[in-house]
Amino acid sequence: MTESKNDFRIEVCANSVDSGVEAQKGGAARIELCAGIPEGGTTPSYGEILTATQKLSLAVNVIIRPRGGDFLYSENEINAMKADIRMCKELGVHGVVFGCLTKEGDIDVKLCSELKKEAGTLSTTFHRAFDVCRDPHKALEQIIDMGFDRILTSGQRATAMEGSALIAELVQKADGRIIILPGSGVNEDNIAELYKITGAHEFHMSARHRIDSGMVYRNENVSMGGTVTISEFSRDLTYDKRVRDSLTNLLAAAGKN
């Protein structure tokens, strides 16, 4: 592990390089670069990853997830994940984020170890596949044994606040052997309370706001999602002020201001 347990850091789930720029302006230590946010995050494109490494000075972690849905992967999906990890190494990212389960709901130690080996010296985060595993306490030890740097978790609940009791247990049991990274629903209004409850030192958030499209001509009769209706004339972008306010509130709660 490279971070001290006394460090306080915010990781931003960035849905684009533009969001990454805002995260950096707001004082984030790291981004998790993702596409497919409505699906919980999928691997972004080569171009998006390359541009992020060129434009950003903060650490860039990339999610390695070929699709939404469960975390039980086919041979073709596994091959794609390994290829994406190799691509990330070539592009010089800071780390990769992945997680795999068996059909019984346990950590797929064999497959995760293979992906970890593929990652080499890259930082590795086990993502929220952890939140749907069968036994989080057993999983914690397995993930530590494999050498992951952190676990992203909402405490097996919909939000980190709802799962804060389990997160606090995980932080205590980890005892500095791995970073427990609370995520899901973390914002500037609850980050101080989450710190006080859990004792976590790193937090994962999106800090987004809705911005209007610059399009003047708008055909409102067509949805690019077909039967899935999503606004074509607005998008969510990380807002630097929300990141900055979150960091300020976290440090104040920790007595670092």
Side-chain angles (χ1 to χ4, degrees):
M1 286 169 41
T2 58
E3 294 93 343
S4 163
K5 66 179 181 180
N6 294 317
D7 287 340
F8 291 86
R9 297 167 184 252
I10 287 179
E11 173 183 282
V12 169
C13 177
N15 58 353
S16 65
V17 177
D18 288 342
S19 279
V21 170
E22 291 294 312
Q24 183 167 286
K25 284 164 56 180
R30 185 175 61 241
I31 64 167
E32 179 196 36
L33 188 62
C34 302
I37 296 297
E39 296 181 279
T42 55
T43 305
S45 71
Y46 175 95
E48 190 82 9
I49 300 168
L50 174 61
T51 304
T53 61
Q54 293 174 335
K55 295 291 185 179
L56 302 174
S57 59
L58 82 177
V60 176
N61 286 0
V62 177
I63 192 168
I64 304 298
R65 188 173 177 229
R67 57 164 172 80
D70 64 34
F71 304 99
L72 181 66
Y73 295 111
S74 70
E75 182 180 352
N76 288 332
E77 290 168 338
I78 293 166
N79 288 337
M81 293 167 80
K82 289 180 178 179
D84 283 338
I85 291 172
R86 290 193 294 271
M87 171 185 68
C88 286
K89 285 165 62 177
E90 291 167 4
L91 292 177
V93 305
H94 174 261
V96 287
V97 182
F98 59 87
C100 313
L101 302 180
T102 68
K103 64 181 180 180
E104 292 82 15
D106 296 315
I107 303 300
D108 190 333
V109 174
K110 180 177 181 298
L111 177 53
C112 287
S113 296
E114 290 177 12
L115 297 177
K116 184 80 172 60
K117 182 177 180 181
E118 197 75 61
T121 59
L122 295 183
S123 176
T124 49
T125 300
F126 195 100
H127 62 40
R128 289 185 64 213
F130 180 89
D131 287 324
V132 290
C133 77
R134 189 160 54 107
D135 183 343
H137 300 290
K138 176 183 177 183
L140 171 67
E141 298 302 327
Q142 291 174 318
I143 294 168
I144 290 172
D145 287 345
M146 284 186 283
F148 279 79
D149 293 296
R150 65 186 58 80
I151 298 172
L152 171 61
T153 179
S154 61
Q156 299 208 320
R157 301 292 295 273
T159 69
M161 185 59 76
E162 293 175 47
S164 59
L166 176 57
I167 294 172
E169 288 181 31
L170 295 169
V171 170
Q172 185 175 27
K173 289 190 175 183
D175 193 26
R177 295 177 295 158
I178 194 169
I179 295 164
I180 303 299
L181 178 65
S184 184
V186 178
N187 58 53
E188 62 270 40
D189 296 324
N190 63 23
I191 194 167
E193 184 178 358
L194 274 168
Y195 164 70
K196 291 174 183 177
I197 294 171
T198 66
H201 284 224
E202 296 194 6
F203 293 86
H204 174 95
M205 64 191 307
S206 61
R208 297 188 197 108
H209 66 154
R210 183 65 53 91
I211 63 171
D212 193 46
S213 168
M215 290 293 297
V216 176
Y217 172 74
R218 302 185 179 197
N219 183 353
E220 304 278 4
N221 298 314
V222 178
S223 170
M224 294 296 107
T227 57
V228 178
T229 303
I230 299 174
S231 173
E232 309 297 342
F233 300 106
S234 65
R235 64 191 177 105
D236 291 334
L237 186 73
T238 295
Y239 182 23
D240 66 325
K241 182 179 184 300
R242 295 194 67 188
V243 179
R244 190 176 302 109
D245 288 349
S246 298
L247 186 58
T248 296
N249 294 343
L250 173 61
L251 293 175
K256 298 294 183 179
N257 276 6

